[in-house]
Amino acid sequence: MSEEEMYDVIILGGGPAGLTAGIYAMRAALKTVLIEKGVPGGQVSITKDVENYPGFIEIGGFELCDKFLQHAKHYNLEIIDKEAVETEPGIKHHSVRLADGTVLHSHVVILAAGGTAQKLQIPGEEENFGKGVSYCATCDGFFFRNQIVAVIGGGDTALEDALYLAKITSKVYLIHRRDAFRGSRILQQRVLAEPRIQILYNTVATEILANDKGVRGLSLKDTQTGEESEIDTDGVFIFVGFKPNNHIVPAGIKLNTTGYVITDEKCETTIPGIFAVGDLRQKYANQIVLAAADGCTAALAAAHYIETDKK
Ligand code: NAP
């Protein structure tokens, strides 16, 4: 590949949104490259089970991602295993700089960088990451077999992963700052029916306690009474939301107050020819099926944009 190669479409990120954009762009005969550092798949690849992607009553997250990847490869999508560090908008075309200094140019850039787990930012969290503090139950749950763990959060991820951990560990504390979960009704019902999960409502963790072996407990505070307490736990799984990976979004593109990219219905940002898809884009919900739908929309719109642009 030459250093200054021109593409129709550059896709930044290889989760369900990016890979779907790749499938649609290749089928539209657009010269397309997808940039992803490491194995494509995104957040879904570290999700144990997916039960709401149409056509699959239950499928492993990694397996579903691999199907997306194989589908994209079937259409010969070029994938570069490197980090993209900068997107530079242009008038005639846009440019993307990779970590090794390579610069790629394209008519369209599709930003599909997803997001990463939000930190709780309490004492003991950073120091004990990998020593009992985790943001991925399917990656680390195995290390807590027959031990006690705490899950912090009240969304779908916290509920789903508390259920997963309840199958491996001896006890799961599910700690939520309010008295009602944000996660879906079906997951709430399953959590309530799981005897190994003890729910602590109206409770926040104030410190992760550790000894030289790693995490040993949690300091807690009741948000209603202010009462402070401690629990013994071997692990702390933190699922308090998600932060969009917007560092690659160029200045000039409008973000909302929480850092998600604002787009129109074609997934086009405030800069023509630059699209944002999946968990990076402001929308009603973050779901795999919606990420895939975004990828489709952006690639179809990209094809139209390029056709008009080339005339
Ligand atoms: P989320 O829905 O944003 O939930 C975050 C949870 O963490 C909320 O319960 C929130 O409490 C709590 N929280 C936030 N900051 C906190 C803090 N500083 N201290 C204590 N608690 C805090 O995030 P998510 O669960 O990661 O889900 C992200 C998106 O992915 C959602 O759209 C979700 O539906 C989707 N998802 C879907 C599935 C599925 O459908 N199978 C699975 C996983 C994720 P409050 O409720 O009080 O705000």
Side-chain angles (χ1 to χ4, degrees):
M1 188 179 67
S2 78
E3 259 208 359
E4 302 270 314
E5 196 156 358
M6 182 78 184
Y7 288 91
D8 287 322
V9 180
I10 299 175
I11 300 167
L12 302 181
L19 287 169
T20 307
I23 292 166
Y24 273 81
M26 291 306 289
R27 285 174 56 83
L30 300 174
K31 186 175 183 216
T32 304
V33 62
L34 184 148
I35 317 290
E36 168 71 59
K37 188 166 173 273
V39 185
Q43 288 284 312
V44 185
S45 59
I46 56 166
T47 301
K48 186 177 172 286
D49 294 316
V50 176
E51 296 179 357
N52 52 12
Y53 193 79
F56 299 93
I57 291 167
E58 186 178 338
I59 184 166
F62 184 83
E63 195 188 341
L64 182 60
C65 279
D66 192 55
K67 285 187 185 292
F68 290 155
L69 178 60
Q70 296 316 321
H71 196 159
K73 283 186 173 170
H74 175 78
Y75 292 113
N76 297 318
L77 175 67
E78 181 185 350
I79 297 177
I80 297 181
D81 178 2
K82 283 187 186 148
E83 190 185 355
V85 291
E86 196 184 356
T87 311
E88 202 180 306
I91 305 223
K92 289 194 98 174
H93 60 255
H94 306 300
S95 307
V96 171
R97 184 180 301 278
L98 307 184
D100 67 357
T102 309
V103 179
L104 307 174
H105 304 291
S106 63
H107 295 281
V108 161
V109 174
I110 299 179
L111 304 166
T116 40
Q118 192 88 251
K119 307 287 180 288
L120 205 49
Q121 292 178 320
I122 57 169
E125 182 179 9
E126 204 180 328
E127 310 82 289
N128 292 298
F129 174 62
K131 291 190 234 158
V133 173
S134 171
Y135 303 90
C136 175
T138 48
C139 318
D140 300 328
F142 175 79
F143 301 114
F144 299 92
R145 191 165 288 272
N146 300 322
Q147 297 183 4
I148 300 171
V149 296
V151 166
I152 300 173
D156 279 328
T157 309
L159 302 188
E160 216 167 65
D161 288 23
L163 286 163
Y164 172 69
L165 289 165
K167 294 201 186 87
I168 304 174
T169 61
S170 60
K171 176 172 184 152
V172 178
Y173 289 105
L174 178 54
I175 298 163
H176 182 38
R177 63 181 176 183
R178 290 190 292 127
D179 62 355
F181 288 120
R182 179 183 292 273
S184 63
R185 193 72 58 88
I186 188 165
L187 290 175
Q188 291 188 33
Q189 286 164 355
R190 287 185 201 165
V191 161
L192 291 169
E194 172 52 63
R196 268 190 265 198
I197 297 179
Q198 181 181 341
I199 302 169
L200 304 178
Y201 291 112
N202 298 318
T203 304
V204 288
T206 51
E207 184 174 358
I208 295 170
L209 308 169
N211 56 27
D212 53 357
K213 291 195 197 104
V215 169
R216 66 164 182 84
L218 264 180
S219 293
L220 303 175
K221 188 171 178 183
D222 188 311
T223 56
Q224 307 283 295
T225 63
E227 193 184 324
E228 294 182 4
S229 60
E230 260 185 46
I231 55 167
D232 292 336
T233 179
D234 303 295
V236 179
F237 288 82
I238 299 169
F239 304 117
V240 293
F242 202 65
K243 210 171 55 188
N245 290 331
N246 57 17
H247 54 278
I248 197 78
V249 176
I253 284 183
K254 205 167 168 193
L255 306 178
N256 73 8
T257 51
T258 43
Y260 288 86
V261 178
I262 294 171
T263 68
D264 62 13
E265 64 167 351
K266 293 180 291 176
C267 293
E268 194 165 15
T269 68
T270 39
I271 297 183
I274 302 188
F275 295 76
V277 293
D279 289 355
L280 180 60
R281 181 173 91 85
Q282 173 186 276
K283 60 182 180 310
Y284 176 64
N286 291 349
Q287 296 288 309
I288 307 166
V289 67
L290 295 180
D294 278 2
C296 160
T297 304
L300 294 178
H304 182 74
Y305 176 91
I306 290 163
E307 214 174 284
T308 316
D309 205 34
K310 282 182 177 170
K311 271 183 193 162

